[in-house]
Amino acid sequence: MTDKPLQTSIRHSITLPNDINTVPQLNEFIDAFSLEAGLDMSLTMSLNLALEEAVVNVMTYAYAPDAQGELTLEAIADQRVLTFILTDMGVPFDPTAKEDADTTLGVEERPIGGLGIFLVRQLMDTVDYQRADGRNILTLTKQLTAQQ
């Protein structure tokens, strides 16, 4: 999962407006963070996918249409775990309370929504939510293991 073990922890953050046109900035942030942390391309691609899903959900649903808001993503890496903390001041929403999408149903039978959260759960090891001080706080973790 990593090209080389981290000797120290690293921590970076990015704040974006609730505008999906800024998603390329998110991807650049994740790519740069992954490079500094020594993560392999496969893990970097998975992180990009999971974090983009989580961030786009916030951008799309946390704030009323045409309302300006922002979100912050903090990325932390040490020798054992990657932690991503996504915060926003939008409407309260706990994605961990949603049931997993039923992927056994056909596309026409499946209700709209829920696949992004399902995907995040599949790609990350833990997904935790809390509401504190008027903020949604979504914490995603991914365990690092030494390459075999």
Side-chain angles (χ1 to χ4, degrees), residues 33-145:
F33 174 79
S34 295
L35 182 65
E36 183 177 349
L39 305 180
D40 65 33
M41 184 58 71
S42 176
L43 179 55
T44 299
M45 289 172 45
S46 292
L47 293 174
N48 258 311
L49 185 56
L51 293 168
E52 184 175 318
E53 283 294 335
V55 166
V56 168
N57 277 345
V58 170
M59 289 177 170
T60 305
Y61 301 113
Y63 300 97
D66 299 322
Q68 291 186 352
E70 62 183 26
L71 58 94
T72 298
L73 177 65
E74 185 174 9
I76 307 159
D78 63 27
Q79 292 97 352
R80 296 170 304 165
V81 67
L82 301 171
T83 305
F84 301 93
I85 304 167
L86 180 60
T87 59
D88 68 81
M89 295 184 70
V91 296
F93 177 70
D94 180 359
T96 65
K98 299 278 287 179
E99 288 188 27
D100 278 343
D102 185 351
T103 57
T104 63
L105 296 175
V107 174
E108 297 82 21
E109 303 167 307
R110 197 177 305 145
I112 294 173
L115 280 177
I117 293 167
F118 173 79
L119 182 64
V120 170
R121 286 180 178 151
Q122 295 301 306
L123 294 171
M124 303 304 285
D125 292 322
T126 64
V127 178
D128 295 308
Y129 170 84
Q130 64 180 350
R131 179 81 179 176
D133 300 324
R135 297 181 190 277
N136 293 303
I137 305 167
L138 187 66
T139 303
L140 311 172
T141 62
K142 184 73 175 174
Q143 296 295 318
L144 295 175
T145 57

Side-chain angles (χ1 to χ4, degrees), residues 23-39:
V23 168
Q25 292 174 338
L26 170 71
N27 298 132
E28 290 171 13
F29 171 79
I30 296 165
D31 289 345
F33 174 79
S34 295
L35 182 65
E36 183 177 349
L39 305 180

